[in-house]
Amino acid sequence: MDWVERARTLAMEAHAGQVDKAGHPYIGHVGRVAAAVRGDDEAEAVAWLHDVVEDCPAFAGQVQAFPAPLQDAVRLLSRTSAADADTYYARISADPLALKVKLADIADNADEARLASLDAATAERLRDKYRRALAALGQPATPAAPPIEH
């Protein structure tokens, strides 16, 4: 069975009509996260599904049709899986599949090109959020872009 294609189809249906903070179709984010882990079919399927349980409760039950390791990683990536941030990140850190997708998710969310389309206060709040998330996952903070030389 092509789990990646099934996951992509479910994500497209579940996120239809949703927009991100900048007003862009939300599925673009999900697709970029999936593309970042392409070549690892399990991670790619989880990437397509990573926000379905949390953001699309009407579709959450359909995740149960996927193999248990994929369901488990998707569940771990849902903020509702843990009472607090420390537990949430500790559980993700302990699961290589969930960790791989979460790092791709953070990288896309923290992309300066995306943050630049937001107001300054929101962009800075999100930068801080993603720095804290990386630290909680035991990862180095994303280095600042080098200065542009003229």
Side-chain angles (χ1 to χ4, degrees):
M1 176 149 309
D2 187 350
W3 294 112
V4 172
E5 184 55 31
R6 285 189 67 181
R8 187 188 72 75
T9 300
L10 176 55
M12 298 283 284
E13 184 179 350
H15 294 294
Q18 291 182 336
V19 295
D20 65 15
K21 289 175 178 59
H24 300 114
Y26 190 78
I27 195 65
H29 161 70
V30 178
R32 288 187 301 274
V33 174
V37 296
R38 190 166 290 136
D40 177 340
D41 286 352
E42 285 189 337
E44 189 174 349
V46 170
W48 281 111
L49 299 171
H50 82 275
D51 282 334
V52 169
V53 171
E54 185 175 334
D55 296 343
C56 311
F59 294 88
Q62 293 182 45
V63 173
Q64 301 306 310
F66 290 83
L70 305 184
Q71 291 179 46
D72 293 344
V74 171
R75 180 184 46 77
L76 289 172
L77 292 165
S78 173
R79 289 276 182 182
T80 59
S81 69
D84 58 69
D86 290 339
T87 303
Y88 172 72
Y89 290 119
R91 289 178 180 169
I92 289 172
S93 292
D95 184 288
L97 182 56
L99 179 60
K100 184 175 192 174
V101 173
K102 188 61 179 177
L103 292 175
D105 178 44
I106 292 170
D108 186 65
N109 283 327
D111 182 348
E112 284 299 324
R114 291 189 70 203
L115 293 173
S117 66
L118 304 173
D119 65 86
T122 300
E124 190 51 41
R125 179 182 58 78
L126 292 173
R127 282 184 195 97
D128 184 56
K129 174 184 173 181
Y130 301 131
R131 278 190 295 268
R132 284 184 280 122
L134 288 171
L137 291 168
Q139 303 294 312
T142 305
I148 298 173
E149 295 184 26
H150 298 280

